[in-house]
Amino acid sequence: KKENVGDNIENYYYVYDDGFIYCDYELNYFRYTFADGGKVELGSGIGFVTARDTITVLFATDGSVYKMPSDTSEKIKVGSYHDGIYVNGISNDGTNAVWTLYTDNDRTIILNEGEDKETLGEYKSKYNGTGVTFSSDQGLAVITNIYSDEMYIKERGKETIKSKLGGILYDGIVYTNKGLLNETKTKEIKNLYVSVEGNSYNDPFNVYNISLNGDRERILSTINDYFIYENQIAYLDDDNTLYYAQLEGAEITDEKKIANEVENTYYNKEYIYYLKEKEKETDGTWVGVLYVYKNGDKESKKIDSNVYMYSVVANTSRSTIYYLKEPEAIGNTGSRKGTLVKYDYNREEKSKL
């Protein structure tokens, strides 16, 4: 069955199981829902953000901030603005929403829960640096800002907790003791982990354990990369040495060195893929030798050589990756061509695609 949704459509965005957002050539934005074929106009030239898994939308237009949960076509006004606004995030059901108001370089972060609204904090910047990450069941939200030394923990129905980070946030990635926050259920969360800048943004960073009451404790210093999964942590220090260890709260134990002189790392749950022995081809292409380490193994396995350094993609099946072998530059485009290879750890086999 085909249906004409609208005429003079310029673009569409955020296609989910329950609907999508689109706009026409005059920049009028609409939300379309599949279940009933419903079309609701949101406004003209709006700023908007959708939830992670549903067509629930938070949007700002003509001085007002609205949210529209996926199960209703009603625009619910939750705030207002006079100068500028960034809409940052909203939960799947629309209960929680975050936006940032700004005038010149002054920014103010606002949190909405149901009919309640609170100011979280202020910072100065020319840019929007606020991010919102929800737990997988949407019961807990962490609000971060890469220009601030504060973050906020909001468990649904409870008071917001502010945590001082001991430095400016390095990025907006939030881990729990189980893995990424957006893949962890609220009841499984015992600790949060974030990265904080070193001396400057380009320097190695530090990792902090943040308790659910906002207390902080540094667990790693001057590292280049890290990953947490099921109370285990892998990290690359500032000498490019790769380690794997057990993690309990702020305590790291049973530390094991995996490899030296590691160039690139790719984490996929209990699998760590990494490249070493970096070499530059005559056409300027960087290649290396690809290895994998799985938690519990005695040592790493070599997968392949002459692998394009920036081509490894991990599959959601965890044990499978894809990479480009024997790459060649395509003129001056900056792109590369080569042989696409699939590797399956469990079958210990490679196949060209």
Side-chain angles (χ1 to χ4, degrees):
K1 180 182 177 180
K2 294 187 293 184
E3 180 181 348
N4 183 7
V5 174
D7 298 319
N8 300 316
I9 304 302
E10 183 192 55
N11 212 338
Y12 59 90
Y13 315 84
Y14 305 108
V15 180
Y16 295 100
D17 291 342
D18 51 355
F20 62 95
I21 307 291
Y22 70 93
C23 72
D24 60 23
Y25 280 102
E26 296 179 348
L27 298 183
N28 297 306
Y29 286 78
F30 301 84
R31 191 184 76 171
Y32 181 86
T33 48
F34 293 130
D36 57 3
K39 180 173 68 173
V40 180
E41 184 172 357
L42 304 180
S44 177
I46 67 171
F48 72 95
V49 63
T50 60
R52 189 186 67 189
D53 304 310
T54 70
I55 201 58
T56 293
V57 60
L58 174 71
F59 61 99
T61 180
D62 294 331
S64 295
V65 186
Y66 300 93
K67 62 183 179 182
M68 186 187 296
S70 59
D71 60 356
T72 180
S73 59
E74 179 186 359
K75 301 177 185 179
I76 303 170
K77 184 175 179 179
V78 291
S80 59
Y81 64 98
H82 300 288
D83 296 312
I85 185 170
Y86 300 111
V87 287
N88 302 121
I90 188 167
S91 59
N92 283 341
D93 64 0
T95 298
N96 295 102
V98 177
W99 60 90
T100 302
L101 305 175
Y102 68 88
T103 302
D104 298 326
N105 291 340
D106 296 320
R107 269 74 173 136
T108 303
I109 304 172
I110 307 296
L111 169 67
N112 161 253
E113 181 172 64
E115 297 180 357
D116 298 325
K117 186 173 61 175
E118 65 176 303
T119 298
L120 296 184
E122 299 177 347
Y123 68 99
K124 288 186 178 294
S125 175
K126 294 180 179 179
Y127 311 104
N128 172 38
T130 303
V132 187
T133 307
F134 292 95
S135 57
S136 63
D137 58 2
Q138 309 283 290
L140 184 141
V142 173
I143 299 94
T144 57
N145 187 282
I146 58 172
Y147 303 108
S148 174
D149 63 351
E150 296 178 346
M151 83 175 204
Y152 309 91
I153 305 166
K154 176 61 177 178
E155 188 170 353
R156 188 166 291 188
K158 297 183 179 181
E159 290 187 4
T160 304
I161 302 297
K162 180 172 72 173
S163 179
K164 294 287 288 186
L165 300 177
I168 301 300
L169 191 73
Y170 181 79
D171 57 32
I173 298 172
V174 182
Y175 285 102
T176 74
N177 45 290
K178 300 288 287 185
L180 289 167
L181 173 58
N182 62 5
E183 297 177 355
T184 308
K185 293 181 179 179
T186 303
K187 66 180 181 180
E188 297 176 324
I189 301 172
K190 297 179 180 179
N191 299 276
L192 300 169
Y193 301 90
V194 295
S195 53
V196 172
E197 283 186 15
N199 295 325
S200 70
Y201 181 76
N202 292 322
D203 287 344
F205 56 82
N206 307 313
V207 178
Y208 280 83
N209 164 48
I210 310 294
S211 70
L212 294 182
N213 62 12
D215 294 335
R216 74 172 191 266
E217 185 173 351
R218 186 187 296 192
I219 64 169
L220 289 171
S221 300
T222 59
I223 67 168
N224 290 322
D225 198 10
Y226 80 111
F227 180 82
I228 296 172
Y229 178 69
E230 294 290 355
N231 296 303
Q232 293 152 11
I233 185 168
Y235 66 93
L236 191 67
D237 70 10
D238 57 346
D239 289 325
N240 286 340
T241 301
L242 181 63
Y243 293 90
Y244 203 90
Q246 301 302 308
L247 178 65
E248 186 66 37
E251 186 177 1
I252 294 176
T253 60
D254 300 329
E255 192 174 60
K256 178 180 180 180
K257 183 167 73 173
I258 305 302
N260 296 316
E261 300 178 350
V262 172
E263 294 292 341
N264 290 33
T265 50
Y266 304 87
Y267 306 106
N268 197 13
K269 309 300 184 184
E270 64 267 43
Y271 298 88
I272 307 172
Y273 301 93
Y274 61 92
L275 285 140
K276 291 184 58 173
E277 303 166 44
K278 182 178 178 181
E279 294 181 354
K280 192 173 186 179
E281 303 285 88
T282 55
D283 65 0
T285 301
W286 290 101
V287 296
V289 180
L290 180 62
Y291 296 85
V292 60
Y293 175 79
K294 182 185 178 184
N295 177 35
D297 287 353
K298 291 184 178 180
E299 58 185 20
S300 301
K301 293 181 181 180
K302 178 181 176 180
I303 297 176
D304 212 339
S305 58
N306 202 17
V307 174
Y308 182 37
M309 295 294 293
Y310 312 107
S311 69
V312 178
V313 177
N315 189 285
T316 53
S317 69
R318 304 183 185 178
S319 64
T320 304
I321 59 166
Y322 301 86
Y323 58 90
L324 197 66
K325 182 177 173 64
E326 299 174 348
E328 299 177 10
I330 304 175
N332 296 319
T333 64
S335 299
R336 301 291 185 272
K337 63 179 181 179
T339 301
L340 182 62
V341 180
K342 173 184 175 182
Y343 170 78
D344 189 324
Y345 177 95
N346 291 331
R347 296 182 179 181
E348 294 189 347
E349 68 178 15
K350 295 178 288 187
S351 55
K352 296 181 180 180
L353 300 178

